[in-house]
Amino acid sequence: MAVLWLDEISAGDLEKVGGKGASLGELTGAGLPVPPGFVVTADTYRSFIENANIDEELFEVVDVDVDDSSALAAAAERAQELILETPFPEDVREEILEAYREVGDSGEEAFVAVRSSATAEDLPDASFAGQQETYLNITEDDLLDRVRSCWASLFTQRAIYYRQEKGFDHSAVNIAVVVQQMVEAEKSGVMFTSHPSTGDPTMIIEAAWGLGEAVVSGAVSPDNYIVPRDGGDVDVTVAEKKVMHAKDEETGETVESEVPEEKRTARVLSEGEIDRLVELGERVEDHYDTPQDVEWAILEGTVFMLQSRPITTIDEGDADATSATDAGDITAGLTDGSGTQTRAADSAESATEAGTGDVIVDGLGSSPGRVSGAARIVTKLDELDKVGEGDIIVTEMTMPDMVPAMKRAAGIITDEGGMTSHAAIVSRELGVPAIVGTTNATTTLEDGQVVTLDGDKGSVLEGDLVSPEEEAEPVEEVRPQSPVKPMTATEVKVNVSIPEAAERAAATGADGVGLLRTEHMILSLNQTPAKFIEENGEDAYIKELVQGIRGVADEFYPRPVRVRTLDAPTDEFRQLEGGEDEPHEHNPMLGYRGIRRSLDRPDVFAHELEAFRRLYELGYDNVEIMFPLVNDAEDVYRTKRLMTDAGIDPEKRTWGVMIETPASALAVEGMAEAGIDFASFGTNDLTQYTLAVDRNNEHVADRFDELHPSVLRLIADVIETCREHDVDTSICGQAGSKPEMVQFLVNEGVHSISANIDAVRDVQHEVKRVEQKLLLDSVR
């Protein structure tokens, strides 16, 4: 048979259908609503090239010197030409097309995704993720050509190069192709099977029009549905949804567009759809035996499960902290023509009854607590310095650069975003009361206006309504309840941006911290290091660093905590008190930052090193030092001398460098000889410097690709060189949370992978899967 349907496939069919096909088959077999489809088997590909008598020429053509770029290009072109110009055997052609016609609804042409799915023996998918092709929104006219294109993608220059470098026989490579119905979602969103911050036994569903990216990114304020698990009434908040993401019919790309006027304040989900989603949530939770964070989509009334992962911010013991009735008070719905009351009216009535004043703004309570303070309207980053201790940030939506100010603030209010937006997630980590998705806070509130923020009810009231006797209880940090940690040979660590998140990060079961950023500790002082030292003294500055690092080291002990020394660009320093002396740079990312600033200002850098010396003196032998933006061995030798001058023995302590530039990747052997213990990839910088792509420039953002072959080659070369010199390698950049990068790194032999807090468990499971695959391959 040329094809196998997903419901015929299990994990035991890996060699027939490849990794993607086997995974989708498992989910389908578990009864979960996966979009329907089939797999053109790996045997079909093999029969295709053998019956057409192109196999011998194909493998001869690609047996070239891959370091000869012109020969490699010619080989790839000819190999792909052989496959693309060979017609399908009639019986295979008909079987694939017949299967395709059964994918869509009867009488309608289906749009499908055509995805390469490498087999267990297939190196490209296992080691060099992203080499093979995926095609979206394909119809019958192009289907066979796209299947052939997937096969031909086994012989791109990139794929040929890597297989040859790793010594794999091209003739041993097989590939299957998944053909699966596209879900062009009419409505989509996320669902928590328990409350993500309190652990309350309610389901929270967020929904918006179009594809789900708008909800997850915080670009749209979604509808919010609170569903008590005991069968009580559903509380509905209908938000004003200004934008949506959908497929461009001409290009097939995902684009953002305005929501039609009649849909902006229309309720997204019907009662029946809510019931179906609740049923789905319970099935997923039962299957995984733990509360889940589910991404879903609805097309023509059918609900599809697109992704599911454990919720990592709650604890079963915390489930009673907030009653179902309290959860229902988080929001009520806007009038939608079905009799649902408006949020503002509902909240105002409650406020009046309690004698607490008027509601002036309302939204979604994303982090509980009740605080009062002066509203500080922030419309751009250079206004963050006006946010002081006890103020309430009011902004359109938060960004990572706002974290230092968010730590100072008593509360956070945003115009846009839902329960999964940056503001919601960070505020829950910090334990700061927050309201998101108000739509109008920045235009309704005045700068300096004193308000009371109720993060439970989602309302902002006029005046200071928190009496001296009434202390807002801090949000209790709770240890997540997760499945048993997978045992892996490759260590899986966690990135920590703010020390306040250390407890939650440690509870993931990570093997340590792969990146703790000191700049957030320093920027939160709201003064440059020089200014803080001038006003408070050297010892006070050192103690601030010791306290911040110590909090994380305590939480993880004896697991290692890798601390990166200061790496803040000049534009961030310029926003702080004392920043007027910072140089004005055309591109601060290429300027006075990282180790180059530290080496240029050894007097200030000495205070950072003194903090590490004191930590070692206190017994924190799990602290490791990591130096950013190091280019070559000369940087290492100079840094090593300063460590010695500070009383830190480089031979007794663990320390290393970030690999963030092509220069550092090419010079890593010299750095290894200089004595580093580890090299850690910072993929954000490494990618932008390798590809000459500013990752913050919207005009070239689509060219930013951490899986680009040039970036992967640099990483692979560094791992190989470090292995020869007994130097550990790791990744702490954003790409470490991506499954494709995880697959690549494990196959290359990286020592550890550091992921974002909410991705640790997924990365642990992905590492285990790849390691088991390698073990299986080695005994065959």
Side-chain angles (χ1 to χ4, degrees):
M1 293 179 62
V3 306
L4 287 174
W5 289 91
L6 291 180
D7 58 9
E8 301 175 308
I9 294 169
S10 68
D13 296 311
L14 190 65
E15 294 181 21
K16 296 179 183 177
V17 299
K20 290 187 183 73
S23 175
L24 290 168
E26 276 289 301
L27 288 173
T28 303
L32 299 172
V34 176
F38 60 90
V39 178
V40 180
T41 67
D43 288 342
T44 305
Y45 157 75
R46 179 60 59 172
S47 298
F48 174 82
I49 61 173
E50 290 179 353
N51 293 341
N53 295 317
I54 63 171
D55 53 324
E56 291 186 8
E57 181 180 356
L58 184 64
F59 301 132
E60 287 177 6
V61 162
V62 296
D63 186 18
V64 296
D65 178 3
V66 293
D67 291 322
D68 183 338
S69 58
S70 60
L72 179 60
E77 183 179 3
R78 178 55 184 156
Q80 293 177 69
E81 186 179 78
L82 282 169
I83 293 175
L84 295 174
E85 293 185 357
T86 299
F88 268 93
E90 190 60 29
D91 58 337
V92 175
R93 172 190 177 89
E94 286 305 314
E95 188 174 350
I96 294 174
L97 293 179
E98 183 180 345
Y100 163 80
R101 291 166 190 147
E102 294 181 33
V103 169
D105 293 331
S106 178
E108 293 187 11
E109 187 173 45
F111 284 86
V112 295
V114 181
R115 296 187 174 100
S116 303
S117 179
T119 64
E121 290 82 18
D122 183 8
L123 173 67
D125 185 63
S127 294
F128 308 110
Q131 287 185 12
Q132 275 62 70
E133 295 293 347
T134 290
Y135 301 96
L136 304 179
N137 299 306
I138 303 303
T139 57
E140 181 171 337
D141 289 344
D142 298 320
L143 177 59
L144 296 177
D145 287 340
R146 292 297 178 258
V147 171
R148 262 191 308 229
S149 295
C150 284
W151 292 343
S153 68
L154 278 177
F155 299 101
T156 61
Q157 293 184 50
R158 177 183 177 190
I160 295 169
Y161 177 89
Y162 282 120
R163 281 200 299 273
Q164 202 101 322
E165 284 291 288
K166 297 297 291 184
F168 274 71
D169 185 351
H170 294 294
S171 65
V173 176
N174 285 325
I175 189 169
V177 179
V178 175
V179 179
Q180 191 177 23
Q181 183 177 14
M182 289 287 300
V183 180
E184 297 173 21
E186 298 163 352
K187 51 188 76 172
S188 57
V190 296
M191 169 171 54
F192 301 102
T193 60
S194 292
H195 195 288
S197 61
T198 67
D200 183 70
T202 62
M203 287 193 182
I204 296 182
I205 303 171
E206 295 192 328
W209 303 112
L211 303 177
E213 287 91 337
V215 177
V216 176
S217 68
V220 66
S221 298
D223 287 3
N224 184 276
Y225 305 84
I226 308 293
V227 187
R229 297 292 294 271
D230 61 5
D233 294 336
V234 177
D235 286 295
V236 181
T237 299
V238 179
E240 181 181 2
K241 299 162 287 290
K242 298 177 183 178
V243 298
M244 62 185 292
H245 289 178
K247 184 190 75 172
D248 186 299
E249 293 300 331
E250 293 184 4
T251 66
E253 298 177 353
T254 299
V255 296
E256 183 176 286
S257 60
E258 292 187 359
V259 173
E261 193 66 35
E262 67 274 12
K263 282 189 170 184
R264 286 196 173 193
T265 55
R267 174 170 164 164
V268 175
L269 294 177
S270 67
E271 294 298 333
E273 289 168 333
I274 293 174
D275 290 343
R276 178 72 180 98
L277 282 166
V278 169
E279 177 192 353
L280 170 63
E282 290 176 343
R283 288 174 57 190
V284 173
E285 183 169 306
D286 288 344
H287 183 74
Y288 291 108
D289 197 30
T290 186
Q292 295 288 298
D293 172 358
V294 180
E295 293 182 23
W296 55 267
I298 296 178
L299 174 64
E300 297 178 352
T302 301
V303 180
F304 295 95
M305 191 193 77
L306 305 180
Q307 190 174 17
S308 184
R309 59 170 61 91
I311 299 175
T312 58
T313 55
I314 61 174
D315 178 77
E316 289 179 358
D318 192 53
D320 295 329
T322 304
S323 69
T325 302
D326 293 334
D329 286 337
I330 292 176
T331 88
L334 289 168
T335 300
D336 64 354
S338 62
T340 307
Q341 299 299 311
T342 64
R343 292 181 298 184
D346 213 25
S347 299
E349 183 180 352
S350 299
T352 302
E353 288 176 358
T356 55
D358 295 329
V359 173
I360 48 180
V361 170
D362 67 309
L364 299 176
S366 63
S367 185
R370 193 165 185 262
V371 294
S372 294
R376 299 299 177 190
I377 313 298
V378 176
T379 58
K380 49 189 177 180
L381 290 178
D382 60 8
E383 295 175 342
L384 288 172
D385 57 352
K386 69 181 181 182
V387 178
E389 293 288 339
D391 288 343
I392 294 176
I393 296 177
V394 182
T395 187
E396 184 176 351
M397 58 181 162
T398 64
M399 296 174 287
D401 289 344
M402 293 184 174
V403 169
M406 293 170 73
K407 289 170 57 181
R408 297 195 299 273
I412 299 163
I413 304 170
T414 70
D415 287 348
E416 304 294 345
M419 296 289 280
T420 55
S421 63
H422 177 268
I425 292 170
V426 172
S427 62
R428 289 197 293 266
E429 285 190 9
L430 294 173
V432 175
I435 299 172
V436 298
T438 64
T439 74
N440 62 350
T442 57
T443 55
T444 301
L445 302 179
E446 297 180 2
D447 201 60
Q449 180 181 5
V450 176
V451 297
T452 295
L453 182 161
D454 191 327
D456 295 287
K457 293 181 170 63
S459 56
V460 180
L461 300 94
E462 190 169 10
D464 182 352
L465 305 174
V466 180
S467 64
E469 296 80 17
E470 179 191 4
E471 294 184 5
E473 295 185 5
V475 178
E476 182 183 358
E477 289 287 344
V478 291
R479 208 165 272 275
Q481 190 72 27
S482 301
V484 176
K485 173 185 178 293
M487 298 302 295
T488 59
T490 307
E491 292 183 348
V492 179
K493 298 180 180 179
V494 62
N495 297 332
V496 178
S497 297
I498 49 179
E500 292 83 350
E503 183 177 359
R504 179 178 172 234
T508 62
D511 294 312
V513 175
L515 170 62
L516 173 60
R517 300 174 173 91
T518 58
E519 55 265 23
H520 287 310
M521 305 175 201
I522 295 172
L523 294 174
S524 66
L525 301 175
N526 206 30
Q527 293 180 319
T528 63
K531 183 67 173 178
F532 186 89
I533 291 168
E534 177 187 333
E535 294 192 357
N536 301 279
E538 297 175 357
D539 192 58
Y541 178 70
I542 294 167
K543 285 181 178 178
E544 287 284 346
L545 291 173
V546 169
Q547 182 179 356
I549 298 169
R550 183 178 182 177
V552 182
D554 269 331
E555 196 65 48
F556 277 84
Y557 197 88
R559 291 173 286 176
V561 174
R562 192 164 288 176
V563 186
R564 187 176 70 187
T565 58
L566 183 61
D567 186 23
T570 53
D571 56 337
E572 292 186 11
F573 269 128
R574 204 160 46 246
Q575 297 176 31
L576 306 178
E577 184 183 346
E580 60 274 3
D581 295 330
E582 287 292 313
H584 287 264
E585 298 179 307
H586 180 66
N587 189 338
M589 294 299 288
L590 296 175
Y592 195 53
R593 52 170 286 223
I595 199 66
R596 57 188 64 166
R597 175 192 280 267
S598 299
L599 293 175
D600 189 58
R601 294 292 309 275
D603 53 335
V604 178
F605 185 44
H607 303 320
E608 288 184 68
L609 295 175
E610 171 61 13
F612 286 108
R613 191 198 66 78
R614 292 188 188 182
L615 285 163
Y616 293 137
E617 192 175 63
L618 290 169
Y620 290 99
D621 52 5
N622 63 327
V623 171
E624 303 175 351
I625 312 176
M626 180 161 63
F627 300 108
L629 213 63
V630 173
N631 264 351
D632 49 40
E634 178 60 26
D635 284 343
V636 174
Y637 282 117
R638 291 178 63 190
T639 304
K640 193 174 179 180
R641 284 194 292 271
L642 292 176
M643 289 173 63
T644 302
D645 292 345
I648 300 171
D649 188 343
E651 304 302 321
K652 293 182 179 179
R653 302 302 177 185
T654 302
W655 59 284
V657 299
M658 296 280 289
I659 302 296
E660 299 170 280
T661 65
S664 61
L666 295 170
V668 72
E669 184 169 22
M671 293 191 285
E673 292 170 349
I676 62 172
D677 296 303
F678 63 83
S680 187
F681 300 106
T683 50
N684 285 345
D685 277 346
L686 183 60
T687 300
Q688 75 170 345
Y689 297 144
T690 301
L691 303 182
V693 173
D694 179 355
R695 65 179 187 263
N696 297 320
N697 186 333
E698 62 183 3
H699 301 293
V700 293
D702 60 332
R703 291 180 172 270
F704 187 86
D705 177 18
E706 303 100 321
L707 297 171
H708 190 282
S710 298
V711 178
L712 295 183
R713 180 173 180 179
L714 288 171
I715 292 174
D717 289 348
V718 169
I719 292 174
E720 182 178 359
T721 300
C722 286
R723 189 185 301 115
E724 293 171 354
H725 289 79
D726 198 26
V727 171
D728 286 349
T729 51
S730 62
I731 183 172
C732 59
Q734 189 78 15
S737 299
K738 294 185 175 181
E740 299 90 345
M741 182 62 82
V742 171
Q743 294 165 19
F744 170 76
L745 291 169
V746 173
N747 278 279
E748 287 297 322
V750 77
H751 182 264
S752 67
I753 296 172
S754 193
N756 299 330
I757 293 177
D758 56 358
V760 168
R761 187 47 48 87
D762 288 341
V763 172
Q764 288 169 338
H765 282 291
E766 185 64 24
V767 168
K768 181 177 180 181
R769 187 188 70 81
V770 178
E771 289 182 347
Q772 288 177 332
K773 204 173 193 181
L774 285 170
L775 185 62
L776 182 62
D777 287 346
S778 70
V779 299
R780 283 179 170 161

